[in-house]
């Protein structure tokens, strides 16, 4: 286990202290706890830019602690305070590492003592993370088979358990697993995982995560144990039967030799009691139809997906079979629509869609406002300044024969170029009107099956003068909970990005401090005529928001009708399922829309790519990597894979990957997408921004997207290889 142990008194404080204070602190050291143990992430493994659980143990009972972690500017962001219980138990925090080797400090609030601690460096923000629950070495080999445009490899991290003698930091919050892209779990190992950790994984899946569960004979034990893991199975297990033929598994894994392995003769697999009414898609089955003996099933779980493999891949005959690697590679994403895409070398612009969203938030809106001085102007003025200083100024002074003139010409040049730069800044980055000081965008997703709701919001705050802001999410709104506000920065090693070699220079050098919760971030400094960007996330309960009788017909298109019960109208609605999209139009609350009145579906990929007919073929409009249309960016990020992924945009989704609902479209789910002008509190991201004097500022929402995931009614059983419900 990776951990750091530091002793009080600290080596440095937040403010200056005299030598007398340090002597007194040294005299009081005997009363301080002997040591602090700090554990981050998954046994020390974490990821920059993602929420990370951090546990501090060894503090004195009753102590109130804070944890400070550097943001991309190198400034410390201090967590909400947590008090050590009477037993002196460990204290848990959530932090975000904004630097590749950022410093971490722990403060004892009551004594105003701080200490620097050393923790393992987080993984780069662009690294994909696969978390493995169980002993499955094949995952490490499988990820090497996945195509990577940047030449890197996903990081495979084992999920620690107390049985391993490792402190388990992750708990029952989806935020604990924010750094993870995919969880691979072995059914035989779930019994050793704490129930709180399983609840956290379940919440993470429902919020848009992806789980691969390999559970063959171990599926019966999962059903018996109950809990969140039982809901990851496609259904209850009726019995275990011998698997006589393995041809379907070998074909899917594109490998042979499984039947010849000694343990293959005794291979047993579960028979699902509801195999004739499964929800989702059966990828592998044995028998004449997909409902005979499903072996690999993909299904929706909240806003995320679960892929169940009805085989114990951590046991023989699969543990030593080479086909296990390729089977997992296919399940984890190998051979997808983006496999042949190649990153364009030397391409300019943002690194991913999240970076493009950041640029768009800082760009002028329809009402004018924030504008960036073009780089060509900055570079041209710099080169002109260098040329005027030398050789022009040197040549003029030399020709005059009066060297003392340099004492006049140089200050004149400096003053002249300073005025020129100020004029250029005034021309391109003019002060926006008050309404454009802050721009925001948001996406609100609702799972109609469970009534759960999640919101993601982004805010750019521009200031004319040096200011300190308090930025928060109003958690008092009835439908809001688990709210968190944080900084928003680009991923990767670029200038000002999370993985940059040096911190982003800023004139606003001051710490930010959370209030009582992660929903309240205070004392955020904003330099004059600059922008600070923030991201927020929250969850809530929407209740019963849809009445629908949608079903899939034999052609794979939808039939039926639906109506939403949101307390506000949705504008410009479209319904997406499979590879099709249906233009619905405006929908007032309670008004039922029958798909029979539509003129028919059209290609979803074509609609997202804005394809237009040109003579005898279709041509897709090229994705504009410099585009600043917030609604357009969120539209494509919300169905990035369905639009063609990297092959269309030339960008990875970055931090917006969790917004992509494309994996739900081939399953028994349809997604209704619309916008709203002014929804009531509880249905939108309630930004609250105040300056040091307590004056409130309102943000102009430039893009607000609502998406409702609607379950389909179960159709009759389908032919082999077709999706089944």
């Amino acid at each position: 286990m990776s951990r750091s142990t530091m002793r009080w008194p600290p080596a440095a404080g937040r403010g200056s202290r005299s030598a007398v204070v340090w002597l007194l602190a040294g005299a009081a050291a005997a009363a301080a706890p002997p040591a602090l143990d700090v554990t981050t992430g998954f046994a020390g493994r974490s990821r920059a830019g993602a929420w990370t659980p951090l546990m501090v143990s060894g503090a004195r009972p009753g102590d109130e602690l804070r944890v400070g972690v550097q943001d991309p500017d190198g400034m410390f962001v201090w967590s909400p305070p947590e008090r050590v219980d009477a037993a002196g138990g460990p204290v848990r925090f959530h932090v975000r590492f904004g630097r590749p080797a950022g410093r971490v400090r722990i403060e004892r609030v009551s004594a105003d003592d701080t200490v620097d601690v050393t923790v393992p460096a987080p993984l780069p923000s662009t690294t994909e993370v696969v978390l493995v629950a169980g002993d499955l070495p094949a995952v490490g080999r499988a990820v090497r088979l996945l195509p990577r445009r940047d030449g890197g490899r996903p990081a495979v991290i084992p999920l620690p358990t107390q049985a391993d003698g490792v402190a388990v930091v992750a708990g029952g919050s989806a935020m604990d697993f924010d750094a993870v892209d995919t969880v691979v779990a072995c059914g035989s190992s779930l019994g050793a995982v704490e129930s709180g950790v399983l609840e956290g994984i379940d919440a993470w899946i429902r919020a848009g995560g992806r789980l691969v569960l390999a559970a063959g004979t171990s599926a019966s034990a999962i059903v018996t144990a109950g809990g969140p893991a039982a809901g990851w199975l496609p259904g209850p297990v009726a019995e275990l039967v011998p698997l006589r033929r393995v041809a379907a598994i070998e074909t899917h894994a594109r490998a042979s030799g499984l039947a010849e392995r000694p343990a293959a003769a005794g291979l047993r697999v579960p028979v699902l009691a509801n195999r004739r009414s499964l929800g989702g898609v059966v990828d592998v089955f044995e028998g004449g139809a997909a409902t005979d003996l499903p072996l690999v099933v993909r299904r929706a779980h909240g806003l995320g997906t679960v892929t169940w493999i009805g085989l114990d891949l951590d046991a023989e005959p699969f543990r030593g079979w080479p086909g296990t690697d390729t089977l997992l590679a296919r399940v984890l994403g190998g051979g997808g629509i983006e496999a042949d895409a190649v990153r364009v070398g030397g391409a300019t612009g943002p690194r991913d869609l999240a970076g493009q969203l950041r640029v768009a938030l800082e760009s002028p809106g329809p009402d004018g406002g924030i504008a960036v001085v073009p780089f060509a102007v900055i570079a041209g003025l710099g080169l002109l300044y260098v040329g005027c200083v030398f050789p022009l100024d040197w040549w003029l002074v030399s020709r005059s024969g009066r060297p003392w003139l340099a004492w006049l010409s140089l200050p004149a040049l400096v003053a002249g170029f300073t005025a020129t730069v100020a004029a250029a800044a005034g021309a391109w980055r003019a002060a926006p009107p008050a309404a454009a000081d802050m721009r925001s965008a948001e996406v609100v997703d609702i799972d109609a099956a469970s009534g759960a709701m999640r919101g993601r919001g982004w805010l750019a705050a521009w200031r004319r003068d040096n200011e300190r802001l308090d930025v928060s999410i109003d958690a008092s709104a009835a439908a809001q909970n688990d709210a968190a506000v944080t900084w928003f920065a680009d991923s990767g090693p670029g200038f000002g990005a999370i993985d940059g070699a040096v911190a982003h220079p800023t004139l606003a050098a001051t710490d930010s401090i959370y209030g009582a919760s992660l929903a309240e971030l205070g004392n955020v400094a904003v330099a004059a005529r600059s922008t600070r960007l923030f991201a927020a996330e929250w969850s809530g309960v929407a209740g019963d928001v849809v009445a629908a009788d949608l079903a899939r017909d034999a052609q794979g298109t939808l039939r039926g009708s639906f109506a939403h019960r949101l307390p506000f109208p949705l504008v410009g609605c479209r319904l997406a399922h499979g590879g099709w999209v249906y233009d619905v139009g405006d929908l007032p609350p309670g008004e039922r829309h029958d798909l029979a009145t539509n003129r028919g579906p059209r290609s979803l990929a074509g609609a997202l790519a804005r394809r237009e007919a040109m003579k005898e073929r279709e041509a897709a409009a090229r994705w504009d990597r410099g585009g600043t249309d917030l609604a357009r960016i969120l539209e494509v990020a919300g169905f990035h894979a369905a639009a063609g992924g990297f092959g269309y945009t030339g960008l990875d989704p970055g931090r917006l990957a969790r917004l992509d609902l494309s994996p739900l479209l081939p399953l028994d789910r349809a997604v209704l997408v619309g916008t709203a002008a002014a929804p009531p509190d509880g249905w939108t991201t309630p930004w609250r921004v105040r300056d040091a004097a307590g004056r409130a500022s309102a943000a102009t929402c430039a893009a607000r997207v609502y998406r409702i995931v609607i379950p389909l009614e179960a159709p009759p059983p389908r032919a082999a290889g077709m999706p089944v419900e």
Side-chain angles (χ1 to χ4, degrees), residues 548-552 559 592 668 710-716 718 725:
D549 57 1
L550 297 175
R552 188 167 42 207
R559 54 177 172 79
R592 202 164 190 90
D668 56 336
I710 305 174
L712 305 183
E713 292 186 347
R718 298 182 177 276
E725 308 290 344

Side-chain angles (χ1 to χ4, degrees), residues 177-337:
F177 302 89
D178 184 51
V180 180
D181 294 287
T182 306
V183 174
V184 179
C186 299
S188 58
S189 301
L190 292 182
V193 180
E194 292 184 358
S195 59
V197 176
L198 295 178
E199 292 173 359
I201 295 176
D202 187 71
W204 169 81
I205 301 169
R206 292 181 180 276
R210 181 175 65 155
L211 171 72
V212 176
L213 175 63
T217 58
S218 58
S220 299
I222 294 176
V223 174
T224 302
W232 302 342
L233 297 171
V237 178
E239 59 179 332
L240 296 175
V241 299
L243 185 62
R244 305 297 184 186
R245 295 177 296 178
V246 296
I249 302 173
E250 292 180 330
T251 300
H252 193 71
R254 299 174 182 173
S256 60
L258 179 60
E260 288 74 29
R261 298 184 62 83
L267 184 61
R268 294 166 63 84
V269 295
V271 177
L272 300 175
N274 62 332
R275 62 188 182 278
R276 299 194 180 278
S277 58
L278 289 176
V281 173
V282 177
D283 288 331
V284 182
F285 61 91
E286 190 60 60
T291 55
D292 288 348
L293 187 58
L295 296 176
V296 178
V297 180
R298 284 182 291 128
R299 51 187 291 270
H301 192 68
L303 300 176
T305 60
V306 175
T307 300
W308 171 71
I309 304 175
L311 309 166
D312 292 315
L313 300 182
D314 56 340
E316 293 295 345
F318 301 101
R319 190 172 182 85
W321 180 47
T324 303
D325 304 351
T326 54
L327 174 63
L328 284 171
R330 293 200 64 181
V331 171
L332 292 174
I337 58 177

Side-chain angles (χ1 to χ4, degrees), residues 679-709:
D681 289 344
W683 299 92
T684 184
T685 305
W687 291 104
R688 300 291 184 268
V689 181
R690 296 182 181 275
D691 60 18
R695 295 185 295 265
S697 301
T700 300
C701 188
R704 181 182 287 119
V705 180
Y706 285 85
R707 304 187 298 181
I708 305 176
V709 179

Side-chain angles (χ1 to χ4, degrees), residues 451-529:
M453 176 171 58
R454 73 170 184 186
R456 298 292 183 268
W458 303 269
L459 174 73
W462 188 93
R463 285 297 178 264
R464 297 170 176 82
D465 304 308
N466 294 327
E467 286 191 25
R468 295 187 180 184
L469 302 178
D470 294 336
V471 183
S472 63
I473 293 295
D474 185 6
S476 63
Q480 313 271 336
N481 57 68
D482 293 336
V485 179
T486 185
W487 44 264
F488 182 40
D490 291 348
S491 301
F495 178 75
I498 297 172
D499 302 324
V502 296
H504 178 221
T506 176
L507 299 178
T510 184
D511 294 353
S512 302
I513 304 174
Y514 278 103
S517 71
L518 292 173
E520 307 168 5
L521 181 59
N523 199 48
V524 182
V526 185
R529 303 185 72 85

